[in-house]
Amino acid sequence: MRVAENLNAALHELMAAERNLYLLGEDVADPYGGAFKITRGLSTRFPGRVMSTPISESAITGVAAGLALSGDAAIVEIMFGDFATLAFDQLLNFAAKSVSMYGSRVPMRMVVRCPVGGGRGYGPTHSQSLQKHFVGIPGLALYEMSPFHDNLAVLTELLAREEPCVLFEDKVLYTRPMHAVPEPFSLAVENGVARAFLDERPDCVVVAPGGSTPMALAAMRSLLLEEEIVCTLVVPSRLYPFDVELPDARRVFVVEESTAGGTWGAEVAHQIHQRHWGRLAGPVTLVHSADSVIPTAAHLEESVLVSERTVHRVIMETLRG
């Protein structure tokens, strides 16, 4: 099963299980079923609870927050995650605050799904990874889709948190198979954290969100075959609040597609530094995209976005000194 099919099946199962769950977004109804076909079949099966909306991310997110505030649950699809910026006020100043600003905790069961990432030639305003802009908002939890985490379990966890959540979905993952890692690596998933590993005592640990796993795994395999460097990949489902135990290794790298400056990876590096500095051989190394807009032309896009080659080079150069 591919990631998109797993996500679509998860939405079907959730909608069937929860009669007060609504799904809102632009063109999410059949026959279109969303820009990436993730909501295909839902409006036909659940008429009245799956609603295509006008083009206003602020209004869509505001309606979802209102549904959550009144005791229902809502999932919002932002067609391209870049436009979640238009809903930022609703998330920051209404939805996240509503959990705790009324004197007692208020359950706010809402999820905002954001397709993100480049590699598709969609250009500067449809290819960004904006996770860093949502880090550190009290009452707002951040998650990222991965090919290793079952989406039904993830979405169930998000709604069970009873607080607004943003689920980032890297577009390049939609066509990837679920639970697949290249040989000779093995995969284990426990407590919301996936590990792709070869040895329990690796030369280094790579921490990456779901969308960066293809490039990280490809780099890990080439490092193993060409340089005999053994890496373990750690992929958290929940990006923030970040709370992940790392395997015992003296070098840690954080790989992400966000552009340089104030990133999720910097927050992760700070926490790892605080917890594990006594056993690390050096600072946590950040690997990310260039400080640049994302071009449309494929060869220019490749020169800006973080890649397998970049990850391979940085790890090798750091470990070899």
Side-chain angles (χ1 to χ4, degrees), residues 148-170:
F148 310 134
H149 296 89
D150 179 72
N151 283 294
L152 178 59
V154 172
L155 287 168
T156 300
E157 178 181 335
L158 267 59
L159 291 173
R161 291 185 68 90
E162 297 189 334
E163 65 181 1
C165 298
V166 179
L167 177 63
F168 298 100
E169 302 169 8
D170 198 298

Side-chain angles (χ1 to χ4, degrees), residues 26-307:
E26 298 159 14
D27 294 327
V28 294
D30 294 330
Y32 195 56
F36 301 100
K37 310 307 175 188
I38 304 302
T39 60
R40 180 181 290 165
L42 287 167
S43 66
T44 301
R45 186 178 177 190
F46 306 104
R49 291 200 287 134
V50 177
M51 292 170 278
S52 286
T53 66
I55 303 174
S56 175
E57 285 75 15
S58 178
I60 301 166
T61 308
V63 170
L67 287 166
L69 190 64
S70 65
D72 292 317
I75 296 175
V76 172
E77 177 176 292
I78 304 292
M79 185 177 287
F80 284 87
D82 310 66
F83 303 125
T85 55
L86 297 167
F88 193 73
D89 179 62
Q90 290 291 346
L91 285 169
L92 171 66
N93 288 322
F94 176 31
K97 299 289 190 296
S98 294
V99 176
S100 57
M101 72 176 180
Y102 297 119
S104 61
R105 183 175 174 85
V106 176
M108 292 287 294
R109 302 176 67 230
M110 61 178 290
V111 177
V112 178
R113 295 180 38 243
C114 294
V116 296
R120 299 284 292 265
Y122 289 154
T125 62
H126 292 71
S127 306
Q128 299 169 94
S129 296
L130 300 178
Q131 290 88 326
K132 65 182 182 180
H133 297 293
F134 296 87
V135 171
I137 298 175
L140 184 69
L142 309 181
Y143 286 70
E144 183 155 340
M145 181 182 73
S146 95
F148 310 134
H149 296 89
D150 179 72
N151 283 294
L152 178 59
V154 172
L155 287 168
T156 300
E157 178 181 335
L158 267 59
L159 291 173
R161 291 185 68 90
E162 297 189 334
E163 65 181 1
C165 298
V166 179
L167 177 63
F168 298 100
E169 302 169 8
D170 198 298
K171 298 184 285 289
V172 301
L173 291 183
Y174 286 142
T175 59
R176 299 269 178 168
M178 291 289 296
H179 310 300
V181 294
E183 294 183 348
F185 297 103
S186 299
L187 177 67
V189 183
E190 185 177 3
N191 298 325
V193 179
R195 282 191 309 126
F197 63 97
L198 181 64
D199 194 315
E200 292 299 331
R201 295 294 300 270
D203 297 309
C204 68
V205 171
V206 178
V207 182
S212 297
T213 57
M215 78 180 83
L217 284 168
M220 285 168 53
R221 189 171 189 275
S222 64
L223 284 164
L224 177 65
L225 298 179
E226 299 170 19
E227 309 292 340
E228 297 185 346
I229 293 174
V230 178
C231 306
T232 290
L233 175 64
V234 175
V235 184
S237 173
R238 188 181 71 198
L239 301 185
Y240 188 85
F242 179 80
D243 185 17
V244 175
E245 289 300 318
L246 299 182
D248 187 13
R250 290 175 56 76
R251 287 287 187 179
V252 177
F253 299 82
V254 182
V255 177
E256 61 184 332
E257 194 172 302
S258 290
T259 54
T263 67
W264 168 79
E267 170 69 16
V268 172
H270 169 66
Q271 292 196 31
I272 293 173
H273 177 97
Q274 285 186 314
R275 297 178 190 179
H276 302 292
W277 176 244
R279 65 176 171 87
L280 295 179
V284 177
T285 303
L286 303 181
V287 189
H288 42 61
S289 297
D291 181 14
S292 169
V293 298
I294 301 171
T296 302
H299 69 289
L300 295 176
E301 187 180 37
E302 289 174 4
S303 71
V304 166
L305 294 176
V306 65
S307 66

Side-chain angles (χ1 to χ4, degrees), residues 8-22 42 45-46 49-50 152:
N8 176 261
L11 290 170
H12 273 273
E13 193 159 339
L14 275 178
M15 295 289 291
E18 298 209 28
R19 293 185 177 275
N20 65 335
L21 175 61
Y22 295 83
L42 287 167
R45 186 178 177 190
F46 306 104
R49 291 200 287 134
V50 177
L152 178 59

